[in-house]
Amino acid sequence: MELVFSNIAKSFKRGAKDRVVALDDISFSVAEGELVCLLGPSGCGKSTLLKMAAGFEFPDTGSVTADGKPVCKPHPDRGMVFQDYALFPWLTVEENIAFGPEMNGTDRREIRERIRRFITLVGLTGFEKAHPHQLSGGMKQRVGIARMLAMSPKVLLMDEPFGALDAFTRMEMQEELTNLWQAAPFTTVFVTHDVEEAVYLADRIAVMTSRPGKLKTIVPVPLSRPRVRTDHDFVQIRNHVLKQYERTQPSAAEYSI
Amino acid sequence: MARETNPRLQKIKHLLQYVSLSIVILAVWQTLYHLGYIKPIILPPPSKIALTFWELLNSGAMAKHVGISVLRVLEGFGIAAVLGLSLGIAIGLSRTFDRLTDLIIQVIKPIPPIAWIPLAILWFGIGEKSKVYIIFLGAFFPIIINTIDGIRQTDHKFVEVARILEVPRFKFVRQVVIPGAFPAIMTGIRVGLMVAWMCVVAAELIAAGSGIGYLIMDARQLSQSDVVLVGMITIGIIGKLMDSLIKRLEKRLIGWKVSYVGD
Protein backbone atom coordinates (compact mmCIF):
# COMPACT_ATOMS: atom_id res chain seq x y z
CA MET A 1 0.00 0.00 0.00
CA GLU A 2 1.24 3.45 -0.89
CA LEU A 3 0.74 6.32 1.54
CA VAL A 4 0.74 9.89 0.28
CA PHE A 5 0.81 12.93 2.54
CA SER A 6 0.06 16.06 0.54
CA ASN A 7 0.27 19.65 1.79
CA ILE A 8 -0.66 18.72 5.33
CA ALA A 9 -1.23 21.61 7.73
CA LYS A 10 -2.65 21.54 11.21
CA SER A 11 -2.86 23.97 14.08
CA PHE A 12 -4.04 23.56 17.63
CA LYS A 13 -5.85 25.97 19.89
CA ARG A 14 -3.80 27.51 22.66
CA GLY A 15 -5.79 29.75 24.96
CA ALA A 16 -8.80 31.72 23.77
CA LYS A 17 -7.65 33.15 20.43
CA ASP A 18 -4.11 31.93 20.04
CA ARG A 19 -3.41 29.05 17.65
CA VAL A 20 -0.17 27.08 17.41
CA VAL A 21 0.89 25.76 14.04
CA ALA A 22 1.74 22.11 14.62
CA LEU A 23 2.32 21.02 11.04
CA ASP A 24 3.16 23.35 8.20
CA ASP A 25 2.68 22.27 4.59
CA ILE A 26 4.10 18.76 4.73
CA SER A 27 4.24 16.58 1.65
CA PHE A 28 5.92 13.23 1.15
CA SER A 29 4.98 9.71 0.20
CA VAL A 30 5.78 6.21 1.31
CA ALA A 31 6.01 3.67 -1.50
CA GLU A 32 4.68 0.12 -1.36
CA GLY A 33 7.04 -1.98 0.76
CA GLU A 34 9.13 1.01 1.79
CA LEU A 35 10.33 1.71 5.33
CA VAL A 36 10.29 5.42 6.07
CA CYS A 37 11.36 6.92 9.38
CA LEU A 38 9.83 10.16 10.60
CA LEU A 39 12.64 11.69 12.61
CA GLY A 40 12.43 14.79 14.72
CA PRO A 41 12.51 16.34 18.19
CA SER A 42 9.46 16.12 20.40
CA GLY A 43 6.82 18.60 19.38
CA CYS A 44 7.61 18.46 15.66
CA GLY A 45 4.32 16.75 14.95
CA LYS A 46 5.69 13.41 13.79
CA SER A 47 3.26 11.46 15.94
CA THR A 48 0.40 13.65 14.73
CA LEU A 49 1.33 12.73 11.15
CA LEU A 50 1.30 9.07 12.09
CA LYS A 51 -2.11 9.43 13.72
CA MET A 52 -3.38 11.00 10.54
CA ALA A 53 -2.16 7.99 8.59
CA ALA A 54 -3.95 5.76 11.10
CA GLY A 55 -7.17 7.74 10.78
CA PHE A 56 -7.31 9.08 14.35
CA GLU A 57 -6.58 12.67 13.44
CA PHE A 58 -7.23 14.83 10.42
CA PRO A 59 -5.34 17.69 8.81
CA ASP A 60 -6.86 21.19 8.61
CA THR A 61 -5.81 21.34 5.00
CA GLY A 62 -4.16 18.78 2.75
CA SER A 63 -4.81 15.07 2.73
CA VAL A 64 -3.50 11.62 3.53
CA THR A 65 -4.32 8.95 1.02
CA ALA A 66 -3.74 5.20 1.16
CA ASP A 67 -3.59 3.68 -2.33
CA GLY A 68 -5.28 6.78 -3.64
CA LYS A 69 -8.19 6.72 -1.20
CA PRO A 70 -8.40 9.39 1.50
CA VAL A 71 -7.90 8.04 5.02
CA CYS A 72 -11.06 8.78 6.97
CA LYS A 73 -11.09 6.20 9.76
CA PRO A 74 -8.89 3.52 11.34
CA HIS A 75 -8.75 0.19 9.52
CA PRO A 76 -6.97 -3.13 10.19
CA ASP A 77 -5.08 -2.55 6.93
CA ARG A 78 -3.16 0.13 8.75
CA GLY A 79 -1.85 -1.53 11.90
CA MET A 80 -0.37 0.55 14.68
CA VAL A 81 2.31 -0.25 17.24
CA PHE A 82 2.41 1.95 20.34
CA GLN A 83 5.35 3.08 22.46
CA ASP A 84 3.70 1.83 25.65
CA TYR A 85 2.61 -1.42 23.95
CA ALA A 86 -1.12 -1.03 24.77
CA LEU A 87 -1.49 -4.77 25.36
CA PHE A 88 -4.58 -5.97 27.17
CA PRO A 89 -3.15 -6.92 30.57
CA TRP A 90 -5.93 -9.41 31.34
CA LEU A 91 -5.19 -11.47 28.22
CA THR A 92 -2.29 -13.85 27.71
CA VAL A 93 0.25 -13.42 24.91
CA GLU A 94 -1.67 -15.67 22.55
CA GLU A 95 -5.03 -14.16 23.48
CA ASN A 96 -3.65 -10.71 22.73
CA ILE A 97 -2.48 -11.87 19.33
CA ALA A 98 -5.77 -13.69 18.65
CA PHE A 99 -7.85 -10.68 19.69
CA GLY A 100 -7.99 -8.96 16.30
CA PRO A 101 -8.63 -12.07 14.17
CA GLU A 102 -11.35 -13.16 16.63
CA MET A 103 -13.08 -9.82 16.29
CA ASN A 104 -13.36 -10.04 12.53
CA GLY A 105 -14.68 -13.56 12.69
CA THR A 106 -11.71 -15.55 11.45
CA ASP A 107 -12.34 -19.26 12.05
CA ARG A 108 -10.79 -21.07 15.01
CA ARG A 109 -8.31 -23.17 13.09
CA GLU A 110 -7.01 -20.24 11.12
CA ILE A 111 -6.58 -18.26 14.38
CA ARG A 112 -4.62 -21.10 16.01
CA GLU A 113 -2.43 -21.25 12.94
CA ARG A 114 -1.78 -17.51 12.98
CA ILE A 115 -0.98 -17.50 16.70
CA ARG A 116 1.58 -20.24 16.15
CA ARG A 117 3.10 -18.54 13.13
CA PHE A 118 3.44 -15.06 14.64
CA ILE A 119 4.63 -16.27 18.03
CA THR A 120 7.42 -18.13 16.25
CA LEU A 121 8.08 -15.17 13.99
CA VAL A 122 8.64 -12.69 16.84
CA GLY A 123 10.50 -15.26 18.96
CA LEU A 124 8.03 -15.69 21.81
CA THR A 125 7.78 -19.48 21.72
CA GLY A 126 7.25 -20.74 25.28
CA PHE A 127 5.52 -17.55 26.41
CA GLU A 128 2.11 -18.24 24.84
CA LYS A 129 0.33 -18.44 28.19
CA ALA A 130 2.19 -15.60 29.91
CA HIS A 131 0.46 -12.37 30.84
CA PRO A 132 1.97 -9.03 29.77
CA HIS A 133 3.08 -8.15 33.32
CA GLN A 134 5.33 -11.22 33.28
CA LEU A 135 7.20 -10.02 30.19
CA SER A 136 10.08 -7.58 29.71
CA GLY A 137 9.56 -4.42 27.69
CA GLY A 138 11.15 -5.90 24.57
CA MET A 139 8.96 -8.97 24.78
CA LYS A 140 5.85 -6.88 25.28
CA GLN A 141 6.62 -4.97 22.12
CA ARG A 142 7.09 -8.24 20.25
CA VAL A 143 3.53 -9.09 21.25
CA GLY A 144 2.43 -5.61 20.16
CA ILE A 145 3.98 -6.17 16.73
CA ALA A 146 2.68 -9.74 16.40
CA ARG A 147 -0.82 -8.59 17.32
CA MET A 148 -0.87 -6.16 14.41
CA LEU A 149 0.85 -8.53 11.96
CA ALA A 150 -1.81 -11.13 12.74
CA MET A 151 -4.28 -8.84 10.96
CA SER A 152 -2.13 -9.00 7.79
CA PRO A 153 -1.93 -5.21 7.54
CA LYS A 154 -0.83 -3.46 4.39
CA VAL A 155 0.89 -0.72 6.38
CA LEU A 156 2.54 -0.81 9.79
CA LEU A 157 2.54 2.49 11.65
CA MET A 158 5.01 2.49 14.51
CA ASP A 159 4.95 5.28 17.09
CA GLU A 160 8.35 5.28 18.82
CA PRO A 161 7.89 1.56 19.45
CA PHE A 162 11.31 1.06 21.04
CA GLY A 163 11.41 4.39 22.86
CA ALA A 164 10.83 2.85 26.28
CA LEU A 165 13.47 0.13 25.92
CA ASP A 166 17.07 0.17 27.12
CA ALA A 167 19.77 0.79 24.50
CA PHE A 168 20.76 -2.87 24.05
CA THR A 169 17.25 -4.23 23.82
CA ARG A 170 16.49 -1.43 21.38
CA MET A 171 19.34 -2.49 19.08
CA GLU A 172 18.17 -6.08 19.25
CA MET A 173 14.60 -5.07 18.40
CA GLN A 174 15.84 -2.94 15.50
CA GLU A 175 17.68 -5.95 14.10
CA GLU A 176 14.64 -8.17 14.47
CA LEU A 177 12.32 -5.63 12.92
CA THR A 178 14.72 -5.42 9.98
CA ASN A 179 14.63 -9.21 9.64
CA LEU A 180 10.84 -9.30 9.83
CA TRP A 181 10.53 -6.53 7.30
CA GLN A 182 13.06 -8.05 4.90
CA ALA A 183 11.27 -11.39 5.00
CA ALA A 184 8.01 -9.69 3.92
CA PRO A 185 8.48 -6.00 3.18
CA PHE A 186 5.36 -4.31 4.51
CA THR A 187 4.98 -0.56 4.01
CA THR A 188 6.20 0.96 7.27
CA VAL A 189 6.15 4.41 8.81
CA PHE A 190 8.38 4.47 11.87
CA VAL A 191 8.37 7.49 14.17
CA THR A 192 11.51 8.08 16.23
CA HIS A 193 13.69 10.78 17.75
CA ASP A 194 16.77 8.56 17.66
CA VAL A 195 18.99 9.44 14.69
CA GLU A 196 20.93 6.17 14.77
CA GLU A 197 17.70 4.17 14.89
CA ALA A 198 16.45 6.00 11.82
CA VAL A 199 19.67 5.40 9.88
CA TYR A 200 19.70 1.74 10.91
CA LEU A 201 16.12 1.05 9.83
CA ALA A 202 15.01 3.39 7.10
CA ASP A 203 15.04 3.35 3.32
CA ARG A 204 14.45 7.06 3.59
CA ILE A 205 14.41 9.42 6.56
CA ALA A 206 11.96 12.30 6.71
CA VAL A 207 13.85 14.88 8.75
CA MET A 208 11.46 17.13 10.65
CA THR A 209 12.03 20.26 12.70
CA SER A 210 9.76 21.70 15.34
CA ARG A 211 7.83 24.88 16.06
CA PRO A 212 6.27 24.85 13.60
CA GLY A 213 6.54 21.22 12.51
CA LYS A 214 8.16 21.25 9.10
CA LEU A 215 9.65 18.67 6.83
CA LYS A 216 13.21 19.88 6.40
CA THR A 217 14.48 17.31 3.98
CA ILE A 218 14.30 13.67 3.05
CA VAL A 219 17.52 11.71 3.42
CA PRO A 220 17.79 8.44 1.49
CA VAL A 221 19.77 5.64 3.16
CA PRO A 222 21.19 3.56 0.31
CA LEU A 223 22.94 1.03 2.56
CA SER A 224 22.49 -2.70 2.26
CA ARG A 225 21.11 -4.63 5.23
CA PRO A 226 22.07 -5.78 7.78
CA ARG A 227 23.64 -2.43 8.48
CA VAL A 228 26.67 -1.98 10.69
CA ARG A 229 26.48 0.99 13.00
CA THR A 230 30.23 1.55 12.98
CA ASP A 231 30.65 1.44 9.19
CA HIS A 232 32.10 4.52 7.55
CA ASP A 233 29.04 5.04 5.33
CA PHE A 234 26.65 4.55 8.22
CA VAL A 235 28.46 7.15 10.30
CA GLN A 236 28.57 9.51 7.32
CA ILE A 237 24.82 9.38 6.86
CA ARG A 238 24.25 9.72 10.56
CA ASN A 239 26.42 12.83 10.64
CA HIS A 240 24.67 14.22 7.62
CA VAL A 241 21.29 13.78 9.35
CA LEU A 242 22.61 15.33 12.57
CA LYS A 243 23.85 18.33 10.59
CA GLN A 244 20.27 19.00 9.51
CA TYR A 245 19.52 19.94 13.10
CA GLU A 246 22.29 22.49 13.47
CA ARG A 247 21.07 26.05 13.84
CA THR A 248 17.78 25.40 12.21
CA GLN A 249 16.17 27.44 14.94
CA PRO A 250 17.31 30.49 16.88
CA SER A 251 19.46 29.03 19.62
CA ALA A 252 18.59 31.64 22.22
CA ALA A 253 15.49 30.82 24.21
CA GLU A 254 12.71 33.34 24.25
CA TYR A 255 12.15 34.90 27.60
CA SER A 256 9.19 36.87 28.67
CA ILE A 257 8.19 38.34 32.00
CA MET B 1 24.79 -15.41 56.94
CA ALA B 2 22.18 -16.30 54.38
CA ARG B 3 18.74 -14.81 54.74
CA GLU B 4 16.06 -17.02 56.20
CA THR B 5 14.35 -18.61 53.22
CA ASN B 6 12.62 -21.64 54.72
CA PRO B 7 9.09 -21.09 53.41
CA ARG B 8 7.39 -22.71 56.38
CA LEU B 9 9.27 -20.60 58.90
CA GLN B 10 8.50 -17.58 56.76
CA LYS B 11 4.80 -18.41 56.85
CA ILE B 12 4.80 -18.81 60.62
CA LYS B 13 6.65 -15.53 60.98
CA HIS B 14 4.11 -13.73 58.84
CA LEU B 15 1.22 -15.26 60.76
CA LEU B 16 2.77 -14.13 64.05
CA GLN B 17 3.19 -10.62 62.67
CA TYR B 18 -0.41 -10.71 61.55
CA VAL B 19 -1.86 -11.51 64.99
CA SER B 20 0.76 -9.98 67.29
CA LEU B 21 -0.72 -6.49 67.63
CA SER B 22 -4.17 -7.87 68.46
CA ILE B 23 -2.70 -10.18 71.10
CA VAL B 24 -0.70 -7.35 72.68
CA ILE B 25 -3.79 -5.14 72.87
CA LEU B 26 -5.84 -7.95 74.45
CA ALA B 27 -3.05 -8.67 76.95
CA VAL B 28 -2.70 -5.01 77.99
CA TRP B 29 -6.47 -4.70 78.29
CA GLN B 30 -6.71 -7.80 80.48
CA THR B 31 -3.79 -6.68 82.64
CA LEU B 32 -5.23 -3.20 83.17
CA TYR B 33 -8.43 -4.88 84.34
CA HIS B 34 -6.56 -7.06 86.82
CA LEU B 35 -4.64 -4.03 88.11
CA GLY B 36 -8.01 -2.39 88.74
CA TYR B 37 -7.65 0.44 86.25
CA ILE B 38 -10.83 -0.35 84.27
CA LYS B 39 -14.22 -0.95 85.74
CA PRO B 40 -15.84 -4.03 84.15
CA ILE B 41 -19.16 -2.20 83.76
CA ILE B 42 -17.45 0.46 81.58
CA LEU B 43 -15.23 -1.94 79.70
CA PRO B 44 -15.43 -5.64 80.50
CA PRO B 45 -12.13 -7.55 80.19
CA PRO B 46 -11.46 -9.91 77.25
CA SER B 47 -11.90 -12.91 79.53
CA LYS B 48 -15.44 -11.84 80.41
CA ILE B 49 -16.26 -11.12 76.75
CA ALA B 50 -14.96 -14.54 75.75
CA LEU B 51 -17.10 -16.16 78.42
CA THR B 52 -20.22 -14.28 77.31
CA PHE B 53 -19.47 -15.20 73.73
CA TRP B 54 -19.18 -18.85 74.70
CA GLU B 55 -22.50 -18.72 76.56
CA LEU B 56 -24.30 -17.10 73.63
CA LEU B 57 -22.78 -19.67 71.33
CA ASN B 58 -23.86 -22.61 73.50
CA SER B 59 -27.40 -21.36 73.99
CA GLY B 60 -27.81 -21.17 70.20
CA ALA B 61 -28.72 -17.49 70.45
CA MET B 62 -25.59 -16.48 68.60
CA ALA B 63 -26.29 -18.73 65.62
CA LYS B 64 -29.80 -17.32 65.35
CA HIS B 65 -28.67 -13.69 65.49
CA VAL B 66 -25.76 -14.19 63.12
CA GLY B 67 -27.90 -16.18 60.70
CA ILE B 68 -30.59 -13.55 60.37
CA SER B 69 -28.10 -10.68 60.08
CA VAL B 70 -26.05 -12.48 57.43
CA LEU B 71 -29.24 -13.13 55.50
CA ARG B 72 -30.25 -9.46 55.64
CA VAL B 73 -26.79 -8.30 54.62
CA LEU B 74 -26.65 -10.75 51.72
CA GLU B 75 -30.10 -9.72 50.50
CA GLY B 76 -29.42 -5.99 50.68
CA PHE B 77 -25.93 -6.35 49.28
CA GLY B 78 -27.06 -8.70 46.52
CA ILE B 79 -29.70 -6.27 45.27
CA ALA B 80 -27.19 -3.42 45.54
CA ALA B 81 -24.61 -5.39 43.55
CA VAL B 82 -27.00 -6.25 40.72
CA LEU B 83 -28.45 -2.75 40.46
CA GLY B 84 -25.16 -0.94 41.13
CA LEU B 85 -23.28 -2.93 38.50
CA SER B 86 -25.88 -2.71 35.76
CA LEU B 87 -26.68 0.97 36.32
CA GLY B 88 -22.99 1.76 36.80
CA ILE B 89 -22.08 0.15 33.50
CA ALA B 90 -24.92 1.92 31.70
CA ILE B 91 -23.98 5.29 33.17
CA GLY B 92 -20.29 4.72 32.55
CA LEU B 93 -20.94 4.03 28.88
CA SER B 94 -23.42 6.80 28.15
CA ARG B 95 -22.73 10.47 28.71
CA THR B 96 -26.41 11.25 28.31
CA PHE B 97 -27.40 8.70 30.91
CA ASP B 98 -24.69 10.13 33.16
CA ARG B 99 -26.03 13.68 32.82
CA LEU B 100 -29.56 12.46 33.50
CA THR B 101 -28.64 10.61 36.69
CA ASP B 102 -25.60 12.41 38.11
CA LEU B 103 -27.40 15.11 40.11
CA ILE B 104 -29.78 12.72 41.78
CA ILE B 105 -27.01 10.24 42.62
CA GLN B 106 -24.75 12.93 44.03
CA VAL B 107 -27.54 14.36 46.20
CA ILE B 108 -28.81 11.05 47.55
CA LYS B 109 -25.33 9.60 48.12
CA PRO B 110 -24.40 11.70 51.20
CA ILE B 111 -27.67 10.94 53.02
CA PRO B 112 -26.83 8.41 55.74
CA PRO B 113 -28.94 5.24 55.49
CA ILE B 114 -30.05 5.76 59.08
CA ALA B 115 -31.89 8.93 58.00
CA TRP B 116 -34.00 6.78 55.70
CA ILE B 117 -35.44 4.73 58.57
CA PRO B 118 -38.69 6.72 59.00
CA LEU B 119 -39.45 6.55 55.28
CA ALA B 120 -38.35 2.94 55.06
CA ILE B 121 -40.88 2.04 57.75
CA LEU B 122 -43.64 3.99 56.01
CA TRP B 123 -42.88 2.39 52.67
CA PHE B 124 -41.97 -1.15 53.63
CA GLY B 125 -43.42 -1.58 57.11
CA ILE B 126 -41.49 -2.96 60.03
CA GLY B 127 -40.77 -6.36 58.51
CA GLU B 128 -37.72 -7.63 56.66
CA LYS B 129 -38.14 -5.39 53.63
CA SER B 130 -37.36 -2.13 55.37
CA LYS B 131 -34.20 -3.61 56.94
CA VAL B 132 -32.99 -4.95 53.63
CA TYR B 133 -33.72 -1.57 52.09
CA ILE B 134 -31.47 0.25 54.58
CA ILE B 135 -28.62 -2.19 53.92
CA PHE B 136 -29.17 -1.91 50.19
CA LEU B 137 -28.85 1.89 50.38
CA GLY B 138 -25.53 1.61 52.17
CA ALA B 139 -24.01 -0.88 49.74
CA PHE B 140 -25.43 0.59 46.53
CA PHE B 141 -23.44 3.82 46.25
CA PRO B 142 -19.90 2.50 46.65
CA ILE B 143 -20.65 -0.14 44.02
CA ILE B 144 -22.20 2.17 41.44
CA ILE B 145 -19.64 4.96 41.91
CA ASN B 146 -16.66 2.61 41.57
CA THR B 147 -18.18 0.91 38.54
CA ILE B 148 -18.68 4.24 36.77
CA ASP B 149 -15.14 5.33 37.64
CA GLY B 150 -13.65 2.05 36.47
CA ILE B 151 -15.36 2.30 33.12
CA ARG B 152 -14.40 5.93 32.68
CA GLN B 153 -10.76 5.07 33.31
CA THR B 154 -10.51 2.81 30.28
CA ASP B 155 -7.08 3.45 28.79
CA HIS B 156 -7.33 5.61 25.68
CA LYS B 157 -4.78 3.39 23.95
CA PHE B 158 -7.20 0.46 24.26
CA VAL B 159 -9.85 2.52 22.52
CA GLU B 160 -7.41 3.18 19.67
CA VAL B 161 -6.39 -0.48 19.41
CA ALA B 162 -10.04 -1.47 19.35
CA ARG B 163 -10.78 1.02 16.59
CA ILE B 164 -7.88 -0.26 14.46
CA LEU B 165 -8.97 -3.86 14.97
CA GLU B 166 -12.57 -2.83 14.20
CA VAL B 167 -13.96 -4.33 17.37
CA PRO B 168 -17.77 -4.11 17.33
CA ARG B 169 -19.22 -1.91 20.08
CA PHE B 170 -20.78 -4.72 22.06
CA LYS B 171 -17.59 -6.79 22.07
CA PHE B 172 -15.58 -3.69 22.89
CA VAL B 173 -17.65 -3.17 26.03
CA ARG B 174 -17.62 -6.84 27.02
CA GLN B 175 -14.04 -7.67 26.21
CA VAL B 176 -12.16 -4.41 26.74
CA VAL B 177 -14.09 -1.93 28.90
CA ILE B 178 -15.45 -4.30 31.53
CA PRO B 179 -12.26 -6.33 32.05
CA GLY B 180 -10.38 -3.04 32.35
CA ALA B 181 -12.86 -1.75 34.90
CA PHE B 182 -12.82 -4.98 36.88
CA PRO B 183 -10.30 -3.92 39.54
CA ALA B 184 -12.36 -0.82 40.31
CA ILE B 185 -15.56 -2.86 40.31
CA MET B 186 -14.08 -5.32 42.81
CA THR B 187 -13.10 -2.41 45.04
CA GLY B 188 -16.69 -1.19 44.87
CA ILE B 189 -17.96 -4.66 45.78
CA ARG B 190 -15.64 -4.89 48.78
CA VAL B 191 -16.46 -1.42 50.06
CA GLY B 192 -20.15 -2.08 49.42
CA LEU B 193 -20.08 -5.25 51.48
CA MET B 194 -18.27 -3.48 54.28
CA VAL B 195 -20.82 -0.67 54.35
CA ALA B 196 -23.61 -3.27 54.28
CA TRP B 197 -22.28 -4.64 57.55
CA MET B 198 -21.99 -1.15 58.96
CA CYS B 199 -25.66 -0.63 58.16
CA VAL B 200 -26.91 -3.83 59.77
CA VAL B 201 -27.10 -2.23 63.21
CA ALA B 202 -29.00 0.76 61.82
CA ALA B 203 -31.35 -1.56 59.96
CA GLU B 204 -32.04 -3.64 63.04
CA LEU B 205 -33.06 -0.54 64.96
CA ILE B 206 -36.34 -1.04 63.13
CA ALA B 207 -38.49 -3.19 65.36
CA ALA B 208 -36.20 -6.17 65.13
CA GLY B 209 -36.53 -9.21 67.40
CA SER B 210 -33.28 -10.80 66.31
CA GLY B 211 -30.01 -10.10 64.58
CA ILE B 212 -26.67 -8.88 65.84
CA GLY B 213 -27.80 -5.26 65.69
CA TYR B 214 -30.78 -6.18 67.82
CA LEU B 215 -28.51 -8.08 70.21
CA ILE B 216 -26.43 -4.94 70.70
CA MET B 217 -29.36 -2.54 71.13
CA ASP B 218 -31.12 -4.94 73.48
CA ALA B 219 -28.02 -5.36 75.63
CA ARG B 220 -27.56 -1.61 75.67
CA GLN B 221 -30.93 -1.17 77.39
CA LEU B 222 -29.97 -3.78 79.96
CA SER B 223 -26.49 -2.24 80.41
CA GLN B 224 -24.81 -5.52 79.43
CA SER B 225 -21.65 -4.02 78.06
CA ASP B 226 -20.10 -7.48 77.61
CA VAL B 227 -22.91 -8.52 75.24
CA VAL B 228 -22.58 -5.23 73.36
CA LEU B 229 -18.89 -5.96 72.82
CA VAL B 230 -19.59 -9.53 71.76
CA GLY B 231 -22.01 -8.18 69.14
CA MET B 232 -19.54 -5.58 67.91
CA ILE B 233 -16.68 -8.06 67.64
CA THR B 234 -18.90 -10.59 65.88
CA ILE B 235 -19.82 -8.04 63.21
CA GLY B 236 -16.14 -7.23 62.84
CA ILE B 237 -15.12 -10.85 62.44
CA ILE B 238 -17.84 -11.79 59.96
CA GLY B 239 -17.13 -8.66 57.95
CA LYS B 240 -13.46 -9.54 57.86
CA LEU B 241 -14.14 -13.13 56.79
CA MET B 242 -16.39 -12.03 53.95
CA ASP B 243 -13.83 -9.47 52.83
CA SER B 244 -11.11 -12.14 52.79
CA LEU B 245 -13.35 -14.32 50.68
CA ILE B 246 -13.87 -11.58 48.11
CA LYS B 247 -10.18 -10.71 48.20
CA ARG B 248 -9.36 -14.30 47.32
CA LEU B 249 -11.86 -14.22 44.47
CA GLU B 250 -10.37 -10.92 43.33
CA LYS B 251 -6.87 -12.37 43.28
CA ARG B 252 -8.04 -15.20 41.10
CA LEU B 253 -9.95 -12.96 38.71
CA ILE B 254 -7.49 -10.13 38.36
CA GLY B 255 -4.15 -11.80 38.85
CA TRP B 256 -2.98 -9.86 35.78
CA LYS B 257 -2.92 -6.65 37.73
CA VAL B 258 0.37 -6.02 39.45
CA SER B 259 0.17 -3.47 42.17
CA TYR B 260 2.36 -2.25 44.98
CA VAL B 261 2.24 -4.67 47.90
CA GLY B 262 4.45 -2.76 50.33
CA ASP B 263 8.05 -3.37 51.33
Side-chain angles (χ1 to χ4, degrees), chain A residues 32-211:
Chain A
E32 164 71 39
E34 191 182 27
L35 201 165
V36 169
C37 280
L38 293 182
L39 175 71
S42 50
C44 73
K46 53 193 192 299
S47 289
T48 308
L49 273 178
L50 198 75
K51 287 198 161 162
M52 286 176 182
F56 290 127
E57 288 199 34
F58 302 94
D60 297 339
T61 60
S63 67
V64 186
T65 58
D67 277 347
K69 291 190 206 88
V71 171
C72 55
K73 65 179 177 66
H75 190 275
D77 273 355
R78 283 168 276 115
M80 189 148 175
V81 176
F82 300 86
Q83 177 175 2
D84 50 9
Y85 325 118
L87 302 176
F88 299 123
W90 52 89
L91 299 181
T92 62
V93 167
E94 58 180 12
E95 286 166 345
N96 264 289
I97 295 172
F99 190 82
E102 269 171 13
M103 288 302 136
N104 70 9
T106 312
D107 73 71
R108 291 247 139 247
R109 271 186 48 207
E110 166 69 14
I111 291 176
R112 290 239 65 82
E113 165 59 25
R114 280 199 215 173
I115 291 172
R116 202 193 51 74
R117 177 150 50 100
F118 288 106
I119 282 191
T120 318
L121 198 65
V122 297
L124 280 172
T125 311
F127 291 92
E128 292 87 347
K129 308 278 182 216
H131 278 90
H133 72 90
Q134 296 165 307
L135 304 177
S136 67
M139 288 161 87
K140 280 183 208 168
Q141 197 55 289
R142 287 160 201 258
V143 182
I145 294 170
R147 169 173 70 179
M148 286 300 154
L149 291 181
M151 298 297 283
S152 336
K154 294 181 178 150
V155 177
L156 204 56
L157 305 167
M158 308 184 84
D159 191 4
E160 299 189 34
F162 309 146
L165 306 177
D166 69 83
F168 292 97
T169 312
R170 200 182 312 160
M171 286 196 276
E172 196 184 315
M173 293 296 286
Q174 289 162 5
E175 273 170 46
E176 294 196 18
L177 178 65
T178 306
N179 293 339
L180 274 179
W181 177 82
Q182 280 194 294
F186 35 84
T187 311
T188 307
V189 186
F190 189 107
V191 165
T192 180
H193 53 232
D194 179 342
V195 175
E196 189 181 285
E197 182 166 74
V199 179
Y200 187 86
L201 293 170
D203 289 323
R204 289 188 301 147
I205 303 171
V207 175
M208 295 181 67
T209 54
S210 59
R211 266 159 278 176

Side-chain angles (χ1 to χ4, degrees), chain A residues 74 76 80 82 87 89-90 133, chain B residues 157-158 160 163-164 176 179 256:
Chain A
M80 189 148 175
F82 300 86
L87 302 176
W90 52 89
H133 72 90
Chain B
K157 282 283 153 54
F158 294 160
E160 292 190 343
R163 288 186 62 195
I164 291 174
V176 179
W256 50 267

Side-chain angles (χ1 to χ4, degrees), chain B residues 83-102 105-106 140 143-155 159 169 172-173 176-178 181 184-185:
Chain B
L83 279 180
L85 277 176
S86 39
L87 278 175
I89 290 170
I91 293 171
L93 292 174
S94 157
R95 291 252 181 116
T96 313
F97 205 32
D98 186 23
R99 272 191 295 271
L100 283 172
T101 53
D102 189 61
I105 289 178
Q106 298 306 332
F140 177 70
I143 297 175
I144 190 169
I145 301 285
N146 277 287
T147 305
I148 297 172
D149 273 2
I151 286 182
R152 287 291 158 79
Q153 278 162 21
T154 302
D155 193 334
V159 181
R169 169 110 180 133
F172 173 67
V173 170
V176 179
V177 175
I178 292 178
I185 291 175

Side-chain angles (χ1 to χ4, degrees), chain B residues 51-63 65 215 227 230-231:
Chain B
L51 196 70
T52 308
F53 185 77
W54 183 243
E55 281 165 5
L56 282 168
L57 211 60
N58 272 343
S59 70
M62 189 51 113
H65 291 308
L215 181 74
V227 178
V230 166

